[in-house]
Amino acid sequence: MPILRGAKSLQGLPPNVYVNELAPPQNETVELSSFVLGFIGAFDRGPVNQFVRIKQTPMNKLVDSAEIMFGLRDNLEKGNQLLDHIDRARVTDAIFVRVLGDGHATAGLELDDRQTTPEATLGIKPKAGPGEYANVFSGEVQDGTETGTFKLILQSDIGGKETYDNLSMDPKHERYVVKVINGTSAHFVVEDLKSSAADFVTARPAVKANTQLTGGKNGAPITENDYIGTFDPGTGRRTGLKLLEGIPSTIVTDVAYIDFSSQKADDALRGFGEKYNVTTYIGTNTANTVAAAIEYRKTFDTDHVQMTFGRYISVTGQVISGACLSAIVHVIGEVEDSGLAVECNWIAGAEQPIDFEMATELYKNQIAAFELKPSAKGDGSTAWRMANDYTLAQKDVEGNIITDDENRKVNRRRLNSWIEKSLFGVSAPWQGKAMTPKMKRAAENRVRGFMDNLKTPINPLENPKIMDYSIKFNEQAQFIDQYVRDLKVQHFNTAEWVLINFQGGTNVEVDV
């Protein structure tokens, strides 16, 4: 019985019985997940109760697509002001969750048909979703150029005028209004209300002068519960922060509310970070003094949260919280580097300037802030950048007080999370399989190869991400999840080894 090893196909071989042994995948490199921001908050417009992920393309910057969905960056809503900072920081990948208060509603317009006793035949709504903004959308009906058709002229405040001619109410017609509008328009959706008209010509909406869509409202003021959101296990419906729990935790890596902070909401963000092994960024609740911020900081002991003081202003006057700004600078920098490495050249000032004494107290209490510091240009100029960069960890996993500030750095936590999540991808070929000795050797080679590449990258243009590592494997393991027994990573500028518990100890939940 001939034995083949690693043959991809038996086609063309002489007739016989073959045993084809396929080796486990042994790729030299593993594609690592990118860093994706997640923001929850208020926008001028946009869908509610669903997350929107926007990735930059060669043809469109992230903000170009975001403005179509959420409104222009110079609008007053906090989420729109955030878009200005995101654009100037050149963020390329982000997830947005819009929240509204109870009672929000989408504006709309119902058009009557051409019967003697008219009935509603066509509904028009803005594609972007509920809110007061929708009242600036309008619609107009004219007769179509072709007999028996009609023309729709739709207009939005950010998208200009859209004209659709020779439309029909006949679902079989190539210009069926629902198919044409819903498949083409960037700003509108229509609904066939199925009037009782005897034919599709009579079912056409009657000629109507330009009129605004009405009925849109933002509902009650947004509360902390709206930011936290809800989950209905029956329908699967999610809102607020809980929307981010409904997507794979490998996608979003750094999460913040948009210029909002409260004890209950921040605690929910802490729980999210610890559960899904991501970094979260919070403000100082209602504290607008350093002393009050320090008191608020005492309520946290977690390695997955950073607290940032203050609000900061872009060169165009758009204001955003320090928590959002910190999330941005960590994502646009290198994972192994501190947020201190990123100069925010688009920041023009702070709502509350921080003097030396204030900065010292914030530093001693692990509260981040942004200050004017010497620029890397070396020409004597200054630039806004983080003044300190720590998580809110007070004790280690064994309950001992952490005295080494190096072990509270945000970049160390983010790099650990990144490695932990990446290991699931590295070991994916063996998930669910009984581990034979051959598989164990293949898995060990792949895991060691991954870690070696972090220490000494195959690509000479890449910088090392860790100084060194040590790893042990459990030869008695029956499954890959128990095979990696423990892994210790030595970070740059960190004196001690940090244990990463890949074997059942990590608190990330990954579906592989």
Side-chain angles (χ1 to χ4, degrees), residues 451-464:
M451 297 304 300
D452 286 341
N453 191 50
L454 296 183
K455 178 182 175 182
T456 309
I458 297 173
N459 182 353
L461 299 179
E462 273 188 48
N463 293 324

Side-chain angles (χ1 to χ4, degrees), residues 358-369:
M358 296 168 65
T360 301
E361 290 303 309
L362 291 171
Y363 173 84
K364 289 194 300 186
N365 289 277
Q366 298 165 250
I367 302 175

Side-chain angles (χ1 to χ4, degrees), residues 32-35 89 253-254 279 281 326-343 386 389 409-416 418 454 457 459 461-466 491-492:
L32 304 175
S33 58
S34 59
F35 292 90
T253 59
D254 298 79
T279 304
Y281 306 81
S326 181
I328 290 172
V329 301
H330 283 101
V331 165
I332 64 177
E334 300 294 334
V335 64
E336 68 272 17
D337 293 335
S338 169
L340 279 64
V342 178
E343 291 188 0
M386 298 193 73
D389 194 14
K409 284 189 173 179
V410 171
N411 58 305
R412 184 192 67 86
R413 173 67 265 162
R414 294 181 73 243
L415 183 55
N416 284 0
W418 184 65
L454 296 183
N459 182 353
L461 299 179
E462 273 188 48
N463 293 324
K465 292 178 173 55
I466 61 175
H491 294 278
F492 288 102

Side-chain angles (χ1 to χ4, degrees), residues 188-380:
F188 297 90
V189 291
V190 298
E191 179 184 4
D192 188 343
L193 300 179
K194 308 290 185 181
S195 82
S196 63
D199 53 66
F200 295 121
V201 173
T202 310
R204 290 177 299 160
V207 172
K208 186 178 184 66
N210 193 52
T211 182
Q212 288 186 337
L213 280 64
T214 59
K217 57 182 179 180
N218 290 332
I222 302 174
T223 68
E224 61 184 9
N225 290 330
D226 296 318
Y227 281 92
I228 297 169
T230 60
F231 170 54
D232 183 343
T235 63
R237 179 179 178 272
R238 294 177 180 268
T239 66
L241 174 64
K242 291 189 178 296
L243 263 171
L244 297 184
E245 294 185 349
I247 62 177
S249 57
T250 51
I251 293 180
V252 66
T253 59
D254 298 79
V255 183
Y257 298 125
I258 302 175
D259 206 353
F260 178 81
S261 177
S262 78
Q263 180 72 67
K264 184 177 179 181
D266 290 344
D267 199 53
L269 204 56
R270 173 201 57 77
F272 177 87
E274 292 175 348
K275 181 178 181 180
Y276 293 101
N277 202 5
V278 303
T279 304
T280 60
Y281 306 81
I282 65 173
T284 54
N285 202 352
T286 57
N288 53 18
T289 67
V290 170
I294 291 172
E295 287 302 309
Y296 185 54
R297 182 266 171 273
K298 293 177 181 177
T299 63
F300 292 91
D301 179 11
T302 175
D303 197 33
H304 291 268
V305 178
Q306 183 193 61
M307 180 181 290
T308 313
F309 183 83
R311 302 174 77 232
Y312 302 87
I313 309 166
S314 75
V315 292
T316 52
Q318 301 296 73
V319 181
I320 199 60
S321 67
C324 288
L325 188 56
S326 181
I328 290 172
V329 301
H330 283 101
V331 165
I332 64 177
E334 300 294 334
V335 64
E336 68 272 17
D337 293 335
S338 169
L340 279 64
V342 178
E343 291 188 0
C344 304
N345 52 23
W346 68 93
I347 300 299
E351 279 194 338
Q352 183 176 356
I354 299 173
D355 60 25
F356 178 79
E357 286 74 19
M358 296 168 65
T360 301
E361 290 303 309
L362 291 171
Y363 173 84
K364 289 194 300 186
N365 289 277
Q366 298 165 250
I367 302 175
F370 287 80
E371 291 184 74
L372 270 177
K373 290 183 169 291
S375 172
K377 294 178 182 178
D379 57 2

